[in-house]
Amino acid sequence: MCECSKVHLFEVEFKLDGMIVVPTHKNCGFALDEKQSDKFQKELVKSWGFEAEEE
Ligand SMILES: [Zn+2]
């Protein structure tokens, strides 16, 4: 599990593990924790030009 204090979107690689996407930090090679993954998946969606839907 990645424990880096600062992770930037451009350092995150979205790897496919079966049917799920696992955001992985390129710098350390570890998967991000749930909180970080959630944040980066939202940022990734934003970078595609879509706003994440807030519920
Ligand atoms: Zn890391």
Side-chain angles (χ1 to χ4, degrees), residues 2-4 25 28:
C2 170
E3 289 179 354
C4 304
H25 190 203
C28 65

Side-chain angles (χ1 to χ4, degrees), residues 26-44:
K26 285 180 197 170
N27 292 22
C28 65
F30 291 108
L32 303 182
D33 66 29
E34 240 176 79
K35 211 173 163 185
Q36 284 173 314
S37 320
D38 196 52
K39 183 184 153 205
F40 284 112
Q41 287 194 18
K42 281 181 186 158
E43 282 193 27
L44 182 71

